[in-house]
Amino acid sequence: MTSSDAATPFLVLSESDADRKWKIQVDGLTTVVLEENAASTGYVWRYEPAVGTQGLFQLLTDNFLPGGPVPGVPGAHVFLLNATRAGTTSLRFGLYPPVKPRPEREITFDIDIV
């Protein structure tokens, strides 16, 4: 997927799409898919709304999809968000180690809702 000047009604983003500017229409859906291996490492992705821009996106689902029947195979953490009103924000996700209050890594997607 490439970033574009045209707003779209639907975005599917992964880690390789981070740190670029994206446009989505109001009421558009954004799916963020991040590789996760929570079962064996305990590390989990969490959505972290940007300060001051709460309400621009509504988190609809937050699910882990296993990678297969074999233990230890990485799966995917899938977040589905609805763009509720016009504005500019960053979708931020943190990779949290087990029992730690701060993420070890962060990913950001800059998004204009039009």
Side-chain angles (χ1 to χ4, degrees), residues 47-58 84-85 88-89 92:
Y47 169 57
E48 302 173 332
V51 175
T53 62
Q54 289 87 348
L56 292 179
F57 273 97
Q58 177 187 10
T84 57
R85 60 185 171 90
T88 299
T89 190
R92 295 182 318 152

Side-chain angles (χ1 to χ4, degrees), residues 10-52:
F10 191 75
L11 283 173
V12 178
L13 302 172
S14 66
E15 194 168 346
S16 64
D17 298 313
D19 300 319
R20 293 195 301 211
K21 194 76 153 176
W22 298 93
K23 283 188 180 181
I24 190 164
Q25 298 169 358
V26 172
D27 290 326
L29 295 175
T30 299
T31 301
V32 178
V33 181
L34 301 171
E35 184 177 297
E36 182 177 279
N37 199 356
S40 64
T41 66
Y43 282 69
V44 295
W45 285 105
R46 294 185 193 152
Y47 169 57
E48 302 173 332
V51 175

